[in-house]
Amino acid sequence: MSAVVDLSVDGDIGVLTINSPPVNALSAAVRDGLAAGVAAAVADPAVKAIVLHCAGRTFIAGADISEFGGAMKGASLPAVQAAMEDCPKPIIAAIHGTALGGGLEVALTCHYRVAVPSAKLGLPEVKLGLLPGAGGTQRLPRLVGPEQALKMVTSGTPISAKAALASGLIDEIAPEDGLLEAAKAFARRPNLALVKVRDKQDKVEAARATAPEMFAQFRKDNARAMRGFEAPEANIKCIEAAVNLSFDEGMKVERDLFVPLMMGLQSKAQRYVFFAERQANKVEGLPADAAPLTIGSVGIIGAGTMGGGIAMNFLNAGVPVTIVEMKQEALDRGVATIRKNYENTAAKGRMTAADVEARMGLLTPTLDMEELSAADLVIEAVFETMEIKRDVFGKLDRIAKPGAILASNTSYLNVDEIADVTSRPGSVLGLHFFSPANVMRLLEVVRGAKTEPAVLATAMATAKKIGKVAVVAGVCHGFIGNRMLSSRQAEAMKLIVEGATPEQVDRVLYDFGWPMGPFQMSDLAGLDIGWSAEKSKGETIRDRLCEAGLRGQKNGRGFYDYDAQRNRTPSPVATQIILDYAAEKGVNRREVGDEEILERCLYPMVNEGALILAEGMAQRASDIDIVWINGYGWPVYRGGPMFWADSVGLAKVAERLTHYGYEVAPLLARLAAEEKSFTGQF
């Protein structure tokens, strides 16, 4: 048949087997093999029915993304699907692992679908800024109904075999270890009809009368999650077409909406992010023999918000945790918060009461740091001052067993200075979790000057185990994310002195795609974080806000005033403080335009990113983008600050930075002059 698709015959059943590791993606070779295989099975008079199944760990897991945007090679997917759907012999898809994207679309052109209990089925194209472009939006609602189809195509989240059976997506669940035999038995059923999904109308016709209200409500309910993204709305329009138009007319709508998405900047950005996340896990210069160490138990110092959240990551992964506090009250409060978080999750049906107890059973609370002596990894999550952290690590050095990894959750401080108080600096590194640590995906892994390769490899492997996206950073103030954030915050503060308002700056950045602007973020975090009443001298606007008793959301007064429901309105007190500060500094306030706000908040971040790259504090530009998308809420459809700068044009970025009085980073200046980009995407 072909190198990746084989046709064998078992009695009267033809078995088409795809074997294209690692995930049997729909490459040109696979498409060609399927076309030839179906034709050969049809031509064989001994074959009465066909089973399509895949070798390895999964069914077809999707399209070959590497082919996106390139010249078409081999048989087209629609042509292969048409040959399958119009095949005069029944085709049964035997599904294990995942049937995703184009893989599920192929299965939808089979006449029947059989899956093992562990299988997952879905159309995740929306996560790449796309819609299912091979009939998925038209066939899926004909099987599962438009309401279920809407949820699947706009979330991209796959469903289980059990849910697929209940919805009508599959026809039978097969034994976990007997899929192929079950599929062949299904194929041998007498009088097996040639069921074309495209011809099924009952579920879409039943929904037609109430469809306008259903679609309007769906858009309303999901407006916040879909804000700024183009692909979800295109997916919705396709499902609307499936309900209101014929199959062929709906396919035209799907095609007409697919092409602009594929060629657009949002999908390019989201596909870039897809690959960038995988690239981030690769550590430059790490020796091949730097094998990860075994992490069988973890110690955490500090049971506050960060320490408790960090602990939950390991408990969720089944790793025993010993958590240490100085006072019983703080320890009890921390453990109670962990339990409450789990119980809230259980109340939402996302885990069972038994799951809660299993996780809590892995947690050992203690006031005695000596109990960390057996831990393979100890993470310090105490107050962010060098003196305290060095004291903790000095004690840890004596207590922790030889070979244990000692990590600091510092977000700014010099990891090398922390490591220097130990006799084992090679075992020390930074693990900067982001708050809330049990939710946020990002983990900055800070490589110290003496961090051993095996320790770094262990940190990266551990991050993957607990479901984090890890990015390696070098030792500098604020590492990657917070170092760049400080430049944005500094410009935002300058802007409100010069004439912009906090709500205007927040609106501009919200409209760009951020979940919130810098002043709303400051209120949420607390204006008094790191502020000292004893040392404050009213030198900054923040000093004066705190001195006036404005703390942010925690007391309902900050840059905004907050009511009981956390609704905000601009604070007249904060406004007056800003006006008085500007007058005192002799600033002639002026009207500041939205474009200036965007440029001054974001271009300095790009400039700082260029410095970080040149200094080797980040391995690659895409790592910087992954930090910002997963740790700070940069809109994924804009690809991260470095990708976005490339899309704007580095010459423009450099020119505007100069205009605003910035010294352009040498790397940025050079790339702009050479008409190159940070990411190689433009």
Side-chain angles (χ1 to χ4, degrees):
M1 288 305 310
S2 82
V4 294
V5 181
D6 174 69
L7 173 65
S8 60
V9 179
D10 181 1
D12 56 354
I13 304 299
V15 179
L16 266 179
T17 302
I18 300 173
N19 187 7
S20 183
V23 293
N24 296 312
L26 283 166
S27 63
V30 169
R31 298 194 302 273
D32 286 344
L34 280 175
V38 171
V42 170
D44 188 340
V47 173
K48 304 301 182 189
I50 303 165
V51 169
L52 172 63
H53 103 299
C54 294
R57 57 189 173 92
T58 185
F59 191 72
I60 304 166
D64 185 346
I65 299 176
S66 66
E67 293 185 0
F68 284 15
M72 179 67 191
K73 297 179 181 178
S76 72
L77 183 55
V80 173
Q81 290 175 293
M84 295 173 66
E85 198 164 46
D86 295 334
C87 180
K89 301 174 182 182
I91 303 179
I92 295 85
I95 299 169
H96 73 295
T98 56
L100 300 176
L104 181 56
E105 289 178 297
V106 167
L108 288 171
T109 57
C110 295
H111 304 105
Y112 299 94
R113 286 150 297 283
V114 175
V116 296
S118 61
K120 301 286 185 184
L121 302 91
L123 295 171
E125 285 86 350
V126 71
K127 295 181 178 180
L128 296 178
L130 297 169
L131 56 81
T137 67
Q138 301 307 297
R139 292 186 178 90
L140 183 66
R142 285 171 163 78
L143 276 182
V144 306
E147 195 163 4
Q148 173 70 14
L150 273 175
K151 294 175 184 176
M152 291 179 68
V153 299
T154 58
S155 73
T157 303
I159 62 174
S160 66
K162 182 180 178 181
L165 181 65
S167 67
L169 182 53
I170 64 173
D171 300 285
E172 186 176 278
I173 291 182
E176 199 70 55
D177 57 354
L179 173 61
L180 186 54
E181 291 307 312
K184 287 190 283 190
F186 192 104
R188 289 192 173 101
R189 291 181 182 180
N191 304 315
L192 205 57
L194 294 170
V195 179
K196 293 185 181 182
V197 174
R198 61 173 290 160
D199 294 338
K200 295 174 75 70
Q201 298 295 327
D202 54 327
K203 290 188 177 180
V204 290
E205 287 179 351
R208 197 163 292 160
T210 58
E213 295 80 7
M214 179 189 71
F215 284 108
Q217 189 63 46
F218 186 85
R219 285 184 169 99
K220 181 180 178 182
D221 291 345
N222 294 278
R224 183 176 178 183
M226 299 188 306
R227 180 177 68 92
F229 288 90
E230 296 169 354
E233 176 58 25
N235 275 274
I236 294 171
K237 287 179 177 176
C238 286
I239 304 298
E240 283 181 314
V243 172
N244 297 316
L245 304 175
S246 70
F247 180 83
D248 288 333
E249 289 171 324
M251 285 295 291
K252 184 177 186 305
V253 170
E254 182 185 273
R255 176 52 44 179
D256 288 346
L257 290 171
F258 177 83
V259 174
L261 289 179
M262 168 64 81
M263 304 304 293
L265 187 58
Q266 285 203 2
S267 180
K268 185 173 185 177
Q270 289 178 255
R271 282 180 273 143
Y272 160 81
V273 171
F274 176 85
F275 287 111
E277 280 197 3
R278 283 145 186 79
Q279 183 76 2
N281 201 49
K282 298 175 182 176
V283 182
E284 300 290 344
L286 199 62
D289 60 353
L293 308 172
T294 300
I295 303 298
S297 62
V298 172
I300 295 173
I301 303 174
T305 301
M306 286 305 300
I310 294 169
M312 290 178 68
N313 289 295
F314 290 97
L315 299 175
N316 293 343
V319 179
V321 173
T322 299
I323 192 163
V324 180
E325 257 295 353
M326 293 178 64
K327 296 181 179 180
Q328 189 67 48
E329 181 184 1
L331 185 62
D332 292 344
R333 185 168 57 246
V335 172
T337 299
I338 293 172
R339 176 174 283 280
K340 182 180 178 182
N341 286 339
Y342 281 136
E343 288 175 346
N344 288 342
T345 302
K348 295 172 184 174
R350 296 205 292 263
M351 68 168 56
T352 66
D355 292 332
V356 174
E357 296 309 319
R359 283 165 172 74
M360 294 304 297
L362 292 170
L363 182 65
T364 302
T366 181
L367 298 176
D368 185 2
M369 195 182 289
E370 298 286 341
E371 292 193 31
L372 301 178
S373 61
D376 298 309
L377 165 66
V378 181
I379 303 171
E380 159 274 309
V382 300
F383 197 68
E384 184 77 348
T385 66
M386 181 60 77
E387 184 181 2
I388 294 174
K389 290 186 184 289
R390 281 169 63 91
D391 179 65
V392 166
F393 272 77
K395 293 174 181 174
L396 267 182
D397 189 40
R398 176 182 58 80
I399 294 169
K401 68 181 183 181
I405 296 174
L406 310 182
S408 174
N409 180 51
T410 179
S411 52
Y412 282 99
L413 300 177
N414 189 313
V415 171
D416 292 333
E417 285 186 31
I418 295 171
D420 281 347
V421 301
T422 75
S423 61
R424 49 173 122 183
S427 295
V428 178
L429 80 172
L431 291 180
H432 178 205
F433 289 81
F434 285 69
S435 184
N438 54 308
V439 175
M440 297 295 286
R441 297 181 70 214
L442 179 66
L443 178 62
E444 277 186 316
V445 177
V446 186
R447 171 169 40 186
K450 297 178 181 177
T451 302
E452 294 170 359
V455 171
L456 185 59
T458 304
M460 300 302 285
T462 301
K464 191 172 184 179
K465 182 175 182 178
I466 62 175
K468 299 298 183 188
V469 176
V471 172
V472 174
V475 176
C476 58
H477 185 70
F479 315 127
I480 296 171
N482 283 341
R483 176 172 166 179
M484 292 171 67
L485 179 65
S486 62
S487 63
R488 189 191 80 172
Q489 298 302 96
E491 279 299 324
M493 293 302 290
K494 289 179 188 176
L495 283 161
I496 62 172
V497 173
E498 293 173 26
T501 62
E503 56 270 25
Q504 182 190 7
V505 175
D506 282 350
R507 174 183 55 76
V508 169
L509 292 182
Y510 179 82
D511 290 346
F512 180 79
W514 296 88
M516 63 182 70
F519 298 104
Q520 189 185 351
M521 185 187 78
S522 294
D523 276 359
L524 179 64
L527 296 179
D528 56 347
I529 289 182
W531 176 78
S532 168
E534 294 76 22
K535 297 179 182 178
S536 183
K537 297 179 181 178
E539 294 176 352
T540 67
I541 288 174
R542 188 186 76 150
D543 285 344
R544 298 185 184 191
L545 292 173
C546 290
E547 288 167 6
L550 278 63
R551 299 288 189 268
Q553 283 197 25
K554 64 176 68 177
N555 73 343
R557 302 171 66 221
F559 286 102
Y560 300 91
D561 289 335
Y562 298 87
D563 63 19
Q565 286 73 44
R566 299 281 179 99
N567 297 310
R568 68 187 186 280
T569 52
S571 165
V573 175
T575 299
Q576 192 59 52
I577 287 173
I578 294 166
L579 291 174
D580 291 345
Y581 184 90
E584 183 182 312
K585 299 296 182 182
V587 176
N588 293 316
R589 287 170 60 82
R590 61 185 172 85
E591 185 174 322
V592 181
D594 290 355
E595 185 176 6
E596 179 180 344
I597 289 171
L598 192 68
E599 290 180 343
R600 286 180 58 183
C601 284
L602 302 190
Y603 289 172
M605 292 172 56
V606 174
N607 204 44
E608 197 66 39
L611 293 171
I612 288 169
L613 275 176
E615 294 167 16
M617 296 297 104
Q619 296 185 103
R620 48 189 83 91
S622 59
D623 283 5
I624 294 175
D625 289 336
I626 293 306
V627 165
W628 274 89
I629 285 168
N630 289 288
Y632 296 85
W634 183 283
V636 65
Y637 57 80
R638 296 194 190 275
M642 311 313 278
F643 176 96
W644 173 73
D646 287 344
S647 73
V648 169
L650 297 190
K652 178 181 178 180
V653 174
E655 184 274 321
R656 298 310 289 165
L657 283 166
T658 301
H659 172 79
Y660 293 123
Y662 267 84
E663 181 179 347
V664 179
L667 175 61
L668 172 55
R670 178 174 63 79
L671 292 175
E674 295 174 358
E675 297 184 353
K676 293 181 179 179
S677 64
F678 288 117
T679 64
Q681 302 293 308
F682 295 88

